[in-house]
Amino acid sequence: RYLTPSGKELVLEEHGWAEFDPAQRPIRRRGIAADVTARTQGHEELQQREKCLRLALTAARGGTWLLDPTTGDCTVSNEARELLRLPGDAPCTLQAILRQVHPGDRPRVRACLETAIRETAAYRVELRIPLPGGNNRWLSAQGEPFAAASGQRQLLGLILDISEHKSGEEALRVAGQRKDDLLGMVAHEL
C-alpha cells in the first residue's frame, strides 16, 4: 500500500530486479510498479458479496449447486448436500440427486431441468426428499443456465428448505376443511 501526497491510498504491485557489480554488490534496482487498487477493491467487494450470500443462504436454510449437463456432474455446497441427503464423500451427479427425490416428483423435476437447459430458460420447481420415518422434506429449487468461460452451457441452482411453509399450508387447508364441515353441520341443523 502506498499513500500519495494528496492522501489517496494506492495498492501497488511491484516487479523488479537488482543489477550487481562484478563483486556481486547491488548497484541499482530496476523494476516496474502497477496500480492494482481497482482490482484489489473489486476482489474485496466480491468477498463481501460472497459473505452476504452465505449469510442469506444460512438464514434461508438453502444451498447452491452447479450442473454440467453434458457430463451430469454436479458441484454442490455442503448445505445443498445436506438438504438433498447426499452422502458427504460420494461424487455428486444429477442421477445421484434424482435418486434422492421422491419417486412421484422425479419425472417433473427431470422435465423441468431438461426444459431449462434446452430452452436456456430459468426454472423453478418444488420437490420432496423422503426422510426416515415416512416424512418428507420440501425443497424449492430454482436457477438458470449460463455459458461458462469455456463456452459450455451449465445450470446454476439454489435450493431452499420450504418444509415449514408447506406445513403451514397444510394446517391452513385442514383448518379450512374443518370450517367448511362445521358450517355444513350448522346449515344442516337449521
Side-chain angles (χ1 to χ4, degrees), residues 1-12 34-41:
R1 299 202 184 261
Y2 174 78
L3 192 60
T4 66
S6 67
K8 182 179 177 185
E9 186 177 309
L10 300 178
V11 178
L12 301 178
D35 181 355
V36 294
T37 306
R39 182 177 71 190
T40 302
Q41 288 171 341

Side-chain angles (χ1 to χ4, degrees), residues 66-70 120 144-156:
L66 177 67
L67 169 68
D68 180 340
T70 53
T120 314
E144 58 188 47
F146 72 99
S150 65
Q152 185 175 354
R153 195 177 318 174
Q154 296 188 337
L155 195 58
L156 178 63

Side-chain angles (χ1 to χ4, degrees), residues 98-133:
L98 289 173
R99 277 193 298 274
Q100 299 301 104
V101 173
H102 189 283
D105 296 346
R106 282 183 201 146
R108 184 173 41 81
V109 171
R110 183 186 301 276
C112 180
L113 295 174
E114 288 172 354
T115 300
I117 293 165
R118 184 179 59 252
E119 297 179 7
T120 314
Y123 71 93
R124 183 179 201 129
V125 63
E126 291 182 357
L127 57 113
R128 296 168 289 172
I129 302 293
L131 300 174

